[in-house]
Amino acid sequence: MGLTSLLSTSCSSTAPDEPENAIKIGALLPFSGSESAIGRNLEQAMLLAVEDLTAAGGLEGRPFDIVSRDSHSSPERGLDQLLSLIYTDQVRYLVGPEENDLARDIAFEVKKEDLLHMLPGYAAPSIARREDVGGRMRLAPSPFAIGCALAKTIVRDGVRTANSLSARDDFNAGVSTEFTTHFAALQGRILPSVTFMSGQPTYERKIEAAFNLDDPDRAPAGRTLLAAYPAAASTIVTEWTVHGRPGRWLLGPALHTEVFLANIPQGTLDDSSYGISPSLSLRSECSPAPDDPTGEALRCTRWNADAFAYHFSRRWDREAPFPAAHFYYDGVVLIAMGLVYGYATTGQIITSGHELRQKILELNDPKNDVALWWDLNTAMAMLRAGTPLRYIGAAAEYEFDSYGASRNHIMQRWSIEGDQFRDLDPFDAKCVAQQ
């Protein structure tokens, strides 16, 4: 009933005008360039979050608002826009960007201005040290967790040899390194891997090297990890098809997007590949599969993710949220929760990113009662009363380490059938460093 009530309040098809006296949250999103297909969807998730939060009372009656700028899918052009958010729009709280290089380049400004920087993207930089100024938080699983999951899933399938074909950006290179490291630790044999620079007109020589096409006496690896963004990966898969589809792919998380599907020949990857992405099922929705002796395979429901998709689609004319949109919604809500709780406990609106991160970490202690994304009215009222609540969001049941990185290691395996993704069984990919 609470979810139905919340949904009924947000069914218009256009974003509202900028409200007066709003608490501004900055967003840098790819509205143009190679990654433009995802930008509007992510912004819609953030706009939906501020509508829900404002309907729940906002911050002492002040509404929340999203100030968006275009990253142009480019670190060079996006940096100017990100600086404009900070110094022209004067936002104290940032969400995004999707681009790994751009998120890394802004780290100096985040510290210098002591901003709160929420990083929902899969490719966001890792957070691995404490900082005394500025506050960065990472919501999606790290390359370590992704690499662990990729290695574990092929070992469970009996694969004994593997290599990778990976782009040379920080995220995909990191995923590739973690994958090969974990696979070797699990007694797998790593064959020579291949790297490439994205944006090339052809990748034929790289494909030939990855699959040993120039040496017919050498068999390809049991699985080849394709760690790349959709633009380059779709070209690679198309050219691989021309070569007769040698070997079998293991697909990185950045490829779980409609943009990738729309740019590969239909049916090309049927029965020849599967991928790994963060699961959108909550920990509390999962239980060990009874027929799996390792205890890693899970049986999970999807009520929470499906409920958010329904909420999103009612607000945005039946559009479906991309998986990343769930994390962007949560990033905005976590910021708002920290601000409301901070005001209740200090009597001031927190503008220090370092202090706000500490409040968000304090809220998300596993011992605290829960705040549900679909019942923000109750959650915000309790936060205003000074009651700490941990957040069960649209993407995950959040718990963070002391650095501000989410501890999330439930992964979703998926395959491609024709022009659609098909979810396979999720599993727990906890590795030694995550115990």
Side-chain angles (χ1 to χ4, degrees):
M1 291 178 62
L3 179 59
T4 302
S5 175
L6 178 147
L7 293 174
S8 66
T9 67
S10 55
C11 297
S12 73
S13 59
T14 59
D17 294 333
E18 182 176 342
E20 296 182 2
N21 199 32
I23 304 295
K24 296 188 293 186
I25 298 174
L28 189 70
L29 300 169
F31 296 117
S32 61
S34 60
E35 304 299 324
S36 60
I38 197 173
R40 179 172 176 272
N41 195 270
L42 300 183
E43 184 188 43
Q44 288 172 323
M46 298 177 70
L47 291 171
L48 181 59
V50 298
E51 289 179 4
D52 293 345
L53 290 161
T54 300
L59 177 57
E60 294 303 301
R62 295 177 63 181
F64 292 94
D65 189 38
I66 300 299
V67 180
S68 300
R69 287 184 176 262
D70 186 3
S71 71
H72 303 283
S73 306
S74 163
E76 295 78 16
R77 298 179 67 187
L79 182 58
D80 290 338
Q81 295 299 310
L82 197 48
L83 293 174
S84 293
L85 278 173
I86 298 172
Y87 297 110
T88 301
D89 302 316
Q90 296 185 325
V91 299
R92 302 295 306 169
Y93 323 107
L94 292 171
V95 180
E98 275 291 286
E99 298 84 0
N100 177 284
D101 291 346
L102 187 51
R104 186 189 63 234
D105 290 346
I106 200 61
F108 173 78
E109 303 295 337
V110 170
K111 293 180 183 178
K112 176 174 173 286
E113 299 298 325
D114 193 14
L115 306 177
L116 190 285
H117 193 187
M118 192 68 69
L119 296 162
Y122 293 170
S126 297
I127 298 175
R129 64 168 182 257
R130 291 182 178 85
E131 297 168 337
D132 295 329
V133 291
R136 295 194 303 162
M137 301 193 72
R138 194 180 197 284
L139 302 188
S142 66
F144 179 96
I146 296 292
C148 165
L150 290 164
K152 281 193 167 186
T153 193
I154 64 171
V155 168
R156 287 174 53 201
D157 286 349
V159 175
R160 295 291 175 260
T161 61
N163 67 347
S164 69
L165 178 57
S166 61
R168 292 177 195 158
D169 61 88
D170 284 355
F171 174 68
N172 287 299
V175 167
S176 175
T177 298
E178 295 293 353
F179 163 68
T180 55
T181 299
H182 282 101
F183 187 66
L186 294 169
Q187 308 306 309
R189 184 161 66 95
I190 295 296
L191 301 184
S193 295
V194 180
T195 63
F196 62 88
M197 290 296 296
S198 297
Q200 303 303 308
T202 179
Y203 301 93
E204 286 198 22
R205 296 296 300 273
K206 301 295 184 179
I207 295 169
E208 292 169 0
F211 291 97
N212 297 326
L213 299 184
D214 56 351
D215 186 352
D217 295 328
R218 294 171 58 200
R223 286 279 172 176
T224 297
L225 170 65
L226 180 55
Y229 293 118
S234 59
T235 301
I236 288 170
V237 169
T238 301
E239 294 181 340
W240 169 78
T241 303
V242 174
H243 279 287
R245 301 169 63 192
R248 295 167 68 84
W249 289 113
L250 176 63
L251 303 174
L255 303 183
H256 194 203
T257 171
E258 300 296 329
V259 179
F260 177 61
L261 278 187
N263 288 284
I264 60 174
Q266 186 170 330
T268 294
L269 295 178
D270 292 14
D271 303 321
S272 66
S273 66
Y274 54 76
I276 297 293
S277 295
S279 174
L280 293 177
S281 293
L282 303 177
R283 287 197 308 269
S284 56
E285 292 183 298
C286 298
S287 58
D291 54 349
D292 178 49
T294 68
E296 293 179 352
L298 301 172
R299 293 289 183 266
C300 300
T301 65
R302 284 182 53 90
W303 182 92
N304 191 70
D306 290 344
F308 178 74
Y310 178 65
H311 181 38
F312 185 100
S313 67
R314 280 177 60 91
R315 175 61 180 88
W316 301 113
D317 293 334
R318 300 184 181 181
E319 288 190 41
F322 293 158
H326 296 241
F327 288 99
Y328 274 78
Y329 180 96
D330 290 345
V332 174
V333 174
L334 284 165
I335 290 171
M337 288 179 61
L339 289 171
V340 171
Y341 179 69
Y343 191 89
T345 53
T346 69
Q348 297 178 335
I349 296 177
I350 297 176
T351 57
S352 162
H354 180 72
E355 292 179 17
L356 182 55
R357 182 180 63 178
Q358 294 307 115
K359 286 296 181 184
I360 296 172
L361 294 178
E362 181 183 339
L363 288 176
N364 288 279
D365 188 306
K367 298 189 297 292
N368 293 339
D369 289 336
V370 301
L372 303 166
W373 72 264
W374 52 266
D375 191 13
L376 290 177
N377 285 326
T378 299
M380 297 287 271
M382 294 178 69
L383 291 168
R384 289 188 196 100
T387 303
L389 300 172
R390 61 185 175 89
Y391 181 51
I392 295 183
E397 188 171 348
Y398 288 99
E399 181 184 349
F400 298 94
D401 65 18
S402 58
Y403 306 120
S406 176
R407 290 172 169 160
N408 181 4
H409 42 78
I410 297 178
M411 301 293 168
Q412 180 73 55
R413 205 163 91 149
W414 45 268
S415 63
I416 295 174
E417 293 183 358
D419 61 351
Q420 294 184 336
F421 291 107
R422 184 169 73 89
D423 286 343
L424 306 175
D425 288 340
F427 65 101
D428 190 338
K430 185 182 291 184
C431 285
V432 172
Q434 297 169 286
Q435 300 290 343

